Amino acid sequence: MFKSYFKTAFRSLSRNSNYTIINIAGLAVGIGVCMIIFIVISYHTGFDQFHTKKDRIYRVLTEYRHTGDANISYGKDVPFPMPEAIKTQFSQIEEMAPVFASHDDQLLVPASGDKEQRIFKEPTGVFFTNPSFFKIFDFPLLAGSYETLKDPNNVLLTKEIAEKYFGNWEAALGQAIDLETGGYLFEHGKDKLKVSGILADIPANTDFQMKIVVSYGTGFTGSLIAKNTNWEDRTNTGFGCFIMLQPGISANHFNGQLRAYATKVQSPENKDNYLIQPLEAVHYDAQAGNYSNKTISHEMLNVLWLIAGFILLIACVNFINLSTAQAVTRAKEVGVRKVMGGNAVQLRTQFIVETFIIVSIAVVLAIIAVALALPYLNRLLQLSVSSGILSNKAILLFPVAITFIVTALAGFYPSIVLSRFNPIHALKSKLSTNTKGISLRRGLVVLQFVIAQALIIGTLVTARQMNYFMARPLGFDKDAIINVPFRVDSLRISRLNYLRDQLLQIKGVAAVGFSSATPAEEANNTWSTFKFDNAIKETGFKIITKFADTGYVPTYKLHLVAGRNLQPSSLTREFLVNELLVKKLGFKNPEDILGKEISIWGDVIKCPVVGVLQDFNNRSFRYEVAPELITTNVTMYSVAGIKLETENIAATLPRVQAIWEQTFPGFVYEYKFLDDKIEGFYKQEMQLSRFYKIFSVLAILLGCLGLYGLASFMTTQRIKEVGIRKVLGASAGSIIYLFSKEFILLVIVAFAVAVPLAWYYMHHWLQDYVYRVEISWWLFLLGGAAVIFIAIGTLSFQAIKAVRANPVKSLRTE
């Protein structure tokens, strides 16, 4: 019985090969898009879900109150006394692990045997922690012991890194490496470490992308904790704390106790609070961030789900339209089947089987396309999804589920339409046009183009916002500036002036400045509580503090509106402030603050203000400009800004590298253009823009297939009418107009519906940015005009085909 269904289905599909190919192609695209989005969502929602105790794991966040009770933000950094304090003060905590993630570290692997001494640089992946970290999180150990991290100068390497350094991970055990680490606000130096364990390679779907795990008390971390015991002392964005609560402990209850404890240990002026955040929320928190620098918002995931649903819906609508358009051509087949005793159930089953075959072929093609597209997807979205993810149970079940869902959605309605044909009318080719059916198909086409036009408008708005980000004046120069990170020690400090002089002698180098951060970086680790004018006035807000030499202002072309630039000094002697800080302190004129003293870090540093800088964007465009001060201190410098002449950058860069390596031998030279770094601040927005571009194109293509289906149906229904019109002298233009006007009207209706929907969503999305574009009316017109133009092109094919048909053939087939 079922064998005959499949045999008949294959014959029917091969006989109508054009419709079959179009149906398969449309469904394959829709299902492929859904699979890709499902893989992306599965990848992100699976972050750190493999830890067996994940429901009891939390990280401690700092709630910054920069201006009293307003303007609250959150950071993953905590005061240095926090970890030990909460461990001893709260019995609800089962395990506590302090974590410091260092950046741009260098490792010196000593010579052994026939191998030369080698230097490696790890921009990320160096973690300092204790054995409790591995009691909280599940990262398997291949050899050695976690407990070695109790003692200073021990290190665990991942299998990948051990093989990179020593060739064989088993041979790495017991070996020694020199680690040069430190960073802004930390002491600098080299620590000799012993490899005491090998970790299994870290999974891609964790925010702890560890390569090297150093014992917590090693080198600078031990001295740092010993020195910074005050809750008011400075901290660092890499320094955090994770806890595992006892079973049955409420996070809300613990948060209340933590807040109460913070008020006891902090000064009354410090309004910061602390709270714990579930591990499952870490990957979605773009504001606080995480150690992998990969976050995705729940809103972004919801957008992806919507796009997947819409694309699949469009593909199903295409199938319905094409199937019902084809119904008239199969009228005689239905009539013969009914006359021969076939009932409605058998006919519906036959058409459902045909749909199942089409969907199954489309699913197979979609899986092949997805497997081929994964490398491109990884590059586009900066993911680490491997082809092995296709063996994931959920992803294997997804296409199976899609097969049955799409078969039901796309096959049910056409099977009912086809099985209801009157056999006598069908055999005499006297099928009447079903007004309700045509109205439904028109409604489905309108729905398709509502989605397509909304995506196009969304694409235009996001593209304009991203262009605005890149083109908007920042208040400083970002063009042709390279940033080279470095670590300072006593030797490098002594050579900084020499390095600057040598670089400035290179033809093509315009300016050089050393600093703790570029103007574009917020530098969360430098938010400082401060006092103004000998503590006569206590401030209710914090400021960003950056350290820079005298070359900082000319290199980035910052504008002084009052006073002068900083004078050369290796110590902290004077301050530059921005206009916003002047206004917040109550001064009307920038000159009025000159000579006044500012104290930061609990009066550790007290200096006069010597200059006022014009406000520049020192944070992402998501936020307003923050109050800021800049001062000298050579021990804090960690990045060089080198302004290049634009004429011959390619020739200048090797010369810069040669001077750098000559001055700092044994230090790995790496650089990044400042404009690329700024562009990286908007990675998620860039990804959203790319998604919109890709999926809006696919939505238009699929929508045009649906339009083609309806046009094909109407052409078949009105073939005799066209023949009569041509016999009576109708021109080709009038017939094309006859076909086009109805369809263009459908597109215009879709445009009228899409505009308010697109405006509402994009207006809501833009509210996340302090600096944003206006949604101009011409964006809607441009999107609508583009869709109408594409629709006319699609319709012209069917209309011209109808015009060129021989009217004699269409009139004599009665």
Side-chain angles (χ1 to χ4, degrees), residues 234-288:
R234 58 194 185 273
T235 184
N236 184 286
T237 49
F239 185 79
C241 179
F242 287 82
I243 64 172
M244 184 168 68
L245 294 179
Q246 298 279 1
I249 300 298
S250 164
N252 289 334
H253 179 69
F254 185 83
N255 276 332
Q257 291 185 321
L258 184 59
R259 289 173 186 269
Y261 177 72
T263 59
K264 295 179 182 179
V265 295
Q266 293 180 160
S267 65
E269 294 80 16
N270 190 343
K271 303 300 181 182
D272 292 345
N273 283 320
Y274 306 95
L275 69 156
I276 58 173
Q277 181 184 50
L279 179 65
E280 63 182 12
V282 170
H283 189 64
Y284 311 106
D285 190 345
Q287 183 178 150

Side-chain angles (χ1 to χ4, degrees), residues 324-339 347 351 417-418 420-432 716-717:
T324 52
Q326 192 186 359
V328 176
T329 65
R330 301 186 63 178
K332 288 185 173 61
E333 175 191 341
V334 173
V336 170
R337 283 176 174 274
K338 285 197 170 184
V339 169
L347 288 169
F351 294 122
V417 172
L418 290 167
R420 283 180 177 176
F421 285 164
N422 185 299
I424 298 174
H425 290 166
L427 291 171
K428 298 174 73 173
S429 297
K430 288 187 175 180
L431 292 174
S432 60
T716 305
Q717 288 287 320

Side-chain angles (χ1 to χ4, degrees), residues 35-44 47 203-205 294 370-371 373-379 381-392 395:
M35 286 190 65
I36 286 174
I37 291 177
F38 184 75
I39 288 172
V40 171
I41 292 175
S42 297
Y43 171 77
H44 282 290
F47 264 64
N205 60 339
K294 291 180 181 178
V370 169
L374 276 181
Y376 174 73
L377 181 71
N378 285 330
R379 290 193 300 271
L381 302 181
Q382 299 178 358
L383 303 178
S384 303
V385 180
S386 67
S387 57
I389 197 171
L390 296 178
S391 62
N392 183 297
I395 292 173

